[in-house]
Amino acid sequence: MGHTERHVLTDDARRKLTQVSTATITTQLLRLGFRRTFMAGIVPLSPDQRMVGYAFTLRYVPAREDVAVDAHYDNDRNVQRLAVEAVGPEDVLVIDARSDVSAASFGHIIATRIRERGAAGLVTDGALRDTAGIARLKLPTYYRAAHATTSAVAHHPVDMNVPIGCAGVLVMPGDVLVGDADGVAVIPNAHAEAIAHASLAQEELEAFLTEKVAAGAGIRGVYPPSDDVLREYEAQRRDRPA
Amino acid sequence: MGHTERHVLTDDARRKLTQVSTATITTQLLRLGFRRTFMAGIVPLSPDQRMVGYAFTLRYVPAREDVAVDAHYDNDRNVQRLAVEAVGPEDVLVIDARSDVSAASFGHIIATRIRERGAAGLVTDGALRDTAGIARLKLPTYYRAAHATTSAVAHHPVDMNVPIGCAGVLVMPGDVLVGDADGVAVIPNAHAEAIAHASLAQEELEAFLTEKVAAGAGIRGVYPPSDDVLREYEAQRRDRPA
Amino acid sequence: MGHTERHVLTDDARRKLTQVSTATITTQLLRLGFRRTFMAGIVPLSPDQRMVGYAFTLRYVPAREDVAVDAHYDNDRNVQRLAVEAVGPEDVLVIDARSDVSAASFGHIIATRIRERGAAGLVTDGALRDTAGIARLKLPTYYRAAHATTSAVAHHPVDMNVPIGCAGVLVMPGDVLVGDADGVAVIPNAHAEAIAHASLAQEELEAFLTEKVAAGAGIRGVYPPSDDVLREYEAQRRDRPA
Amino acid sequence: MGHTERHVLTDDARRKLTQVSTATITTQLLRLGFRRTFMAGIVPLSPDQRMVGYAFTLRYVPAREDVAVDAHYDNDRNVQRLAVEAVGPEDVLVIDARSDVSAASFGHIIATRIRERGAAGLVTDGALRDTAGIARLKLPTYYRAAHATTSAVAHHPVDMNVPIGCAGVLVMPGDVLVGDADGVAVIPNAHAEAIAHASLAQEELEAFLTEKVAAGAGIRGVYPPSDDVLREYEAQRRDRPA
Amino acid sequence: MGHTERHVLTDDARRKLTQVSTATITTQLLRLGFRRTFMAGIVPLSPDQRMVGYAFTLRYVPAREDVAVDAHYDNDRNVQRLAVEAVGPEDVLVIDARSDVSAASFGHIIATRIRERGAAGLVTDGALRDTAGIARLKLPTYYRAAHATTSAVAHHPVDMNVPIGCAGVLVMPGDVLVGDADGVAVIPNAHAEAIAHASLAQEELEAFLTEKVAAGAGIRGVYPPSDDVLREYEAQRRDRPA
Amino acid sequence: MGHTERHVLTDDARRKLTQVSTATITTQLLRLGFRRTFMAGIVPLSPDQRMVGYAFTLRYVPAREDVAVDAHYDNDRNVQRLAVEAVGPEDVLVIDARSDVSAASFGHIIATRIRERGAAGLVTDGALRDTAGIARLKLPTYYRAAHATTSAVAHHPVDMNVPIGCAGVLVMPGDVLVGDADGVAVIPNAHAEAIAHASLAQEELEAFLTEKVAAGAGIRGVYPPSDDVLREYEAQRRDRPA
């Protein structure tokens, strides 16, 4: 898999990714051949929020009595705690909890900490506890279910910043995660800049087409657009004041 | 199965169906012997909306590379697109997506189109994408989950207006679909008129009984009502100003 | 299992349980060795409500044509109806519906009745019907899914006030059930008083720690707290006006 | 539900039930209106064995640290152990393990004991451990999965000879359980005698029809049989030497 | 989708398909770009049998009281019965039962009939009843689970020889179905001849490579084979007596 | 988690582990406080085989188009292939396939290779392909399901000899895996020697108790054994010829 150079989004691309939907992003990724880029069954804690950030991964394995107990609250050795203090601005902490929702995979106080460190979001394919408290943090958060039980009952954190599976999708450290009301899309880091531009372009065209449909046009010749409609769109764009 | 005559609801019956709950409707259907009439696991996109309309069915099969690619965006041959332009006023477009939520089964622009054509609603036992955009259409919509990926990755539309299974329930073209916050009930077309009247009658009686219970009455003799309580109800109805 | 004495919560403990989260309660229970105390997959009908009450259990078995029919609406013999008229103030009616959501396990009129009897809540690991109507009752309610079909299609009530399993957790009659936005925690009756006090104490400490983290402190030395931080907390508590 | 008189099968009926398939039995039960009479997802440990016996039910609830520990190996108080010593000849011990397969619900030594007591079989909707050892007992056994972990980790026995749900089906104490390679059918006690006779009659007719089909006949007029074919069957039966 | 010409396998291709594994076939299909060609969760009734034949599809929808009753045993109108009498030699009857295993989807007598008509196999993504009886027919059979209940409780046959989904895979009428101990692969009709030849070629090469590995070679240079190893394989083939 | 010293089993302990059941092993582990030590839902390919060996772990993540393609068949860089050539005698190759059975996680030729390298077994919580071919290798093999599709469609190998989750259980490199007809138990390396001895001791006692039960003794005083029965057992052991 190798450790390839991480690309940093331009401000323009980053801004565009906060505007476009995960539906558009996955369509653009499909055009590049990427088929599995959306986390299945993961819902937003607050559907009105948007999330854009770089994946900072955290891997859990099942808890076992000989590994979980002594290290769990040790901020020097517990990998979850090390990750919390390593997450940086614009990072999204994304947890591979093996889709196990029999206990939480993150709690309220450490969620507060990553928000203070500037994290752009929190994603887990497991459960969260104290979801009301986490919602008050205004940190974009995506999860599978609520479960009040503390993570150590089911999970043991073991690695950070390694490739993980999350909700059926590969997440490499540095991949760009975008979240909206549908859930979370994963953009391979090397493609994120281009996907941002292509996605906004698609959405601008679709806004034009949707307006036609909302005004009564049939989809024939409009969606997908005919050459005539595309010319009309281009003309309209040219005439728009900058 | 045969193509039997489709009954059109009277205005009175249609109005009643917009008032009564799916709980009442399934109870009335049970009295006629119908046991499986409610779609399992299907939730409203906007719980405060109500839906009443005739089933216009659309059947999907799993996508395969030799059938999905070339026809997908062809408005002359793609069955999904043909369905979108065939749906009529008061129809509910209802999709058999095999309860597969690994990709969306309908998108925002074509949902806009069926709303413009007067459709009464959209139901799928699969996923939807751009749920925020669809919610803004104010088209009553019922679905299993959100998934941002476009339908062609998982689904190939193959038939319209054939009997389908949707969320575990048979839907025949022309059946009357009613949706509320609980989900979607399916009324066989031939029974819809009678069910509408019986359902409102049941709800009027139950409102009377609930009022008694809310005022402190025990359920004995009230729910189910004794003959005395039924007489009291009938008397009250007679005395009500028209 | 035996029928042991039921402890009644002091007013102080009861008040505390309405303030603390199920996340805190399950942590305190874990310290006593209790690992499985939270109902999996059960969600609140109204996330902003809180529930505290004593378990009044109701056990369902699968319906069968020879047992379900004649007794179902008989308030003298139907166990569900007997339970509805036996639930007392501060009780939570909690139903073992075998996590079967193919039909409802409780309805709106009998929910109205238990609210009038002073019940503190309603919990089922099955489905509910007419959820919009139940939500209007303002009775704290927890359930797995909505299904409009009446309970008799799938369920036959057979016992009340016996130990049950509910959503994977043991519930003994008299256990204290606490519900919040995450779901429902079950506190063994004998431990409820102590858990109430310990839970509030934990939350007061954690509020102090969270304030530090929200002000920019790292978690090292703060969560879990060092001896210094604990002393600071104790000093602050002493200085607080009563 | 009441405690109704238990009917004992005649030797003739019992013999017939060891010959007929669960497919035939469920069809005969359907003719009486019983729709849910077959345990879903339960497989035989030894597909070649047949089982016929009366249900002796055992109900488990989820284990909890305060109830499971002290009583578990106490043969005077542990309900599982009391059941093992109460099961009688021709009884089938049938366990409601809530379909939870995260630990076993019965073990090898106590299975040996019920075989010695003359039990006709063992059925659980949970898991079994030491399945190789149990298979050597030649006791007809039906279960959902293998799991090596002892039952106390997940299960606490709480009742015997009460109505239970097992694999989605109601089982009343005394119901007649029949097992074959497909799994286990439950015959309500009051109907078992009649079902036995009707089932063998159906199978004798179907053997006649199958012979015709195996000889090349089409199903039209044969399955279901026309009046002519029925007369031919009756004639053949009359002519058969007793 | 269209009704394209159906290709008939040469005897050589058909013979090859009876020799190669579904593992090899899906790999060859993947090389053509086909990713989803294997039925998930479908097991052979008799693992030692092999199946090769053309798909004759049968589509079920959920049963409903107004459609299931009168037509079910009517050999003139029931679509299942019409299909049974239309299946031809070398056809595999393949049923879309919506993966619903709450009742059987086919029975023993009609399975006998399709064997007599020369059918090459029976495949369902639902359940079968009387599996012991069907096993005795020696008709290659693939299914998801056993359930003794007759199909009419859950299923209503509605179409034959239409495209269906079966266990997550598209099946077009005329597609070539191959079954072995792993389960069932679906080869699009137009590609079956070529896949047959390519599959046997792959298996012959792999047998050569496996022999090397079984003799102690490492996989480097062997699997995948280096140019040298490929030359060695080709030389050996040339030298083999015809 | 740390890299602790790996203990090597004595020949005596190793021999004992080949004799005792996973049921006994998990009971002995429970006495040490280990509750989750058995892989859920994993079945033997050949139930009559026994497996004992040290865990050599292999971790898969979901496949993605940018990582899977070029490296997949590259024996120098593909982690699966590197693992195959690193597995040593007495090792069990154990794969974390995220319980994803939508494609195989290992194939026949590389299974042949690890057998030749002396591997003691193969375990995956995913699927296997060409199961008939693997069965012929006589390599103890445990898996969740068969799926003919090659692993690269769903899986990308990313790490070896790291802690993994497999079928819900933690597996550390060097842990001792024991397999029988029930499935696979995981013994933490540091405890394996002691567990081996304790397990055989338990089984010898239980054989003595089972003999009593098979001879007609009730379980009271026998299982668990009274002090008298324990003394009788000890006396019998002393008198046994060495």
Side-chain angles (χ1 to χ4, degrees), chain A residues 61-110:
Chain A
V61 289
R64 199 169 72 188
E65 286 72 7
D66 57 340
V67 296
V69 177
D70 53 353
H72 190 63
Y73 295 112
D74 180 339
N75 286 318
D76 290 331
R77 291 180 22 218
N78 182 289
V79 176
Q80 184 202 61
R81 300 304 171 87
L82 296 175
V84 163
E85 291 293 349
V87 160
E90 305 197 356
D91 279 352
V92 171
L93 185 65
V94 51
I95 302 171
D96 171 357
R98 309 172 317 284
S99 296
D100 178 349
V101 295
S102 68
S105 50
F106 217 71
H108 172 238
I109 296 180
I110 51 180

Side-chain angles (χ1 to χ4, degrees), chain A residues 21-24 26-27 30 35 37-40 181-182 206 209-210 213-221 223-224, chain B residues 65 73-76 80-82 84-85 101 108-110 112-113 115-116 128-132 146-150 153:
Chain A
S21 70
T22 57
T24 301
T26 57
T27 293
L30 188 62
R35 300 167 64 103
T37 56
F38 186 77
M39 293 183 180
D182 284 357
E206 287 186 2
L209 304 178
T210 302
V213 171
I219 56 173
R220 180 185 297 254
Y223 184 65
Chain B
E65 286 72 8
Y73 296 111
D74 179 341
N75 286 320
D76 289 332
Q80 185 203 61
R81 300 304 171 86
L82 296 175
V84 163
E85 291 293 350
V101 295
H108 172 237
I109 296 180
I110 50 180
T112 304
R113 177 60 183 153
R115 187 198 61 181
E116 292 308 308
L128 292 176
R129 66 198 303 235
D130 198 358
T131 49
H147 201 291
T149 303
T150 190
V153 168

Side-chain angles (χ1 to χ4, degrees), chain F residues 77-92:
Chain F
R77 292 183 18 218
N78 183 287
V79 176
Q80 184 201 62
R81 299 304 172 88
L82 296 175
V84 163
E85 291 293 350
V87 160
E90 307 197 354
D91 280 351
V92 171

Side-chain angles (χ1 to χ4, degrees), chain D residues 84-85 87-89 109-120 137 139, chain F residues 210-218:
Chain D
V84 163
E85 290 294 350
V87 160
I109 296 180
I110 50 180
T112 306
R113 176 60 183 154
I114 67 170
R115 187 198 61 182
E116 291 310 307
R117 291 186 61 85
L137 294 179
L139 176 73
Chain F
T210 302
E211 206 172 294
K212 280 192 172 299
V213 171

Side-chain angles (χ1 to χ4, degrees), chain E:
Chain E
M1 233 142 174
H3 290 283
T4 55
E5 192 190 357
R6 180 190 295 203
H7 300 268
V8 177
L9 292 167
T10 60
D11 288 349
D12 184 40
R14 191 180 171 80
R15 181 186 51 74
K16 286 177 173 172
L17 288 177
T18 63
Q19 291 176 258
V20 299
S21 70
T22 58
T24 301
I25 288 168
T26 57
T27 293
Q28 289 299 326
L29 285 166
L30 188 63
R31 291 188 184 165
L32 299 182
F34 292 98
R35 301 167 64 102
R36 239 186 338 176
T37 55
F38 186 77
M39 293 184 180
I42 305 304
V43 296
L45 187 54
S46 301
D48 292 338
Q49 286 188 304
R50 298 287 317 230
M51 176 183 78
V52 177
Y54 301 98
F56 186 109
T57 67
L58 180 54
R59 181 167 79 93
Y60 288 0
V61 289
R64 199 167 71 187
E65 285 73 6
D66 58 341
V67 296
V69 178
D70 52 352
H72 189 63
Y73 295 111
D74 179 341
N75 286 319
D76 290 331
R77 291 183 19 220
N78 183 287
V79 175
Q80 185 202 59
R81 300 303 171 87
L82 296 175
V84 163
E85 290 293 350
V87 160
E90 306 197 355
D91 280 350
V92 171
L93 185 65
V94 51
I95 302 171
D96 171 357
R98 309 170 319 283
S99 295
D100 179 349
V101 295
S102 67
S105 50
F106 217 71
H108 173 238
I109 296 180
I110 50 180
T112 305
R113 177 59 182 154
I114 67 170
R115 187 198 60 180
E116 291 308 309
R117 292 186 60 85
L122 171 64
V123 177
T124 176
D125 64 2
L128 291 176
R129 66 197 305 232
D130 198 359
T131 49
I134 296 177
R136 282 191 295 270
L137 294 178
K138 306 291 181 207
L139 176 75
T141 301
Y142 294 81
Y143 70 130
R144 189 179 298 279
H147 201 291
T149 303
T150 190
S151 65
V153 168
H155 300 297
H156 183 71
V158 74
D159 273 333
M160 60 175 154
N161 275 333
V162 294
I164 59 170
C166 185
V169 181
L170 174 64
V171 182
M172 305 276 283
D175 285 345
V176 174
L177 304 188
V178 179
D180 64 6
D182 284 356
V184 179
V186 180
I187 315 177
N189 178 272
H191 299 278
E193 181 79 19
I195 289 289
H197 302 301
S199 293
L200 191 65
Q202 177 187 328
E203 292 214 349
E204 287 174 345
L205 170 59
E206 287 186 1
F208 174 80
L209 304 178
T210 302
E211 205 171 294
K212 279 191 173 299
V213 171
I219 56 174
R220 179 184 299 255
V222 172
Y223 185 65
S226 65
D227 289 349
D228 280 358
V229 167
L230 282 175
R231 272 189 295 269
E232 186 187 341
Y233 170 65
E234 293 303 333
Q236 192 218 47
R237 276 172 68 85
R238 275 192 309 273
D239 299 347
R240 236 176 13 189

Side-chain angles (χ1 to χ4, degrees), chain B residues 43-78:
Chain B
V43 296
L45 187 54
S46 301
D48 292 339
Q49 286 188 303
R50 299 285 318 228
M51 176 182 79
V52 178
Y54 302 98
F56 185 109
T57 67
L58 179 54
R59 181 166 79 93
Y60 288 0
V61 290
R64 199 167 72 187
E65 286 72 8
D66 57 342
V67 296
V69 177
D70 52 351
H72 189 64
Y73 296 111
D74 179 341
N75 286 320
D76 289 332
R77 292 184 17 220
N78 183 288

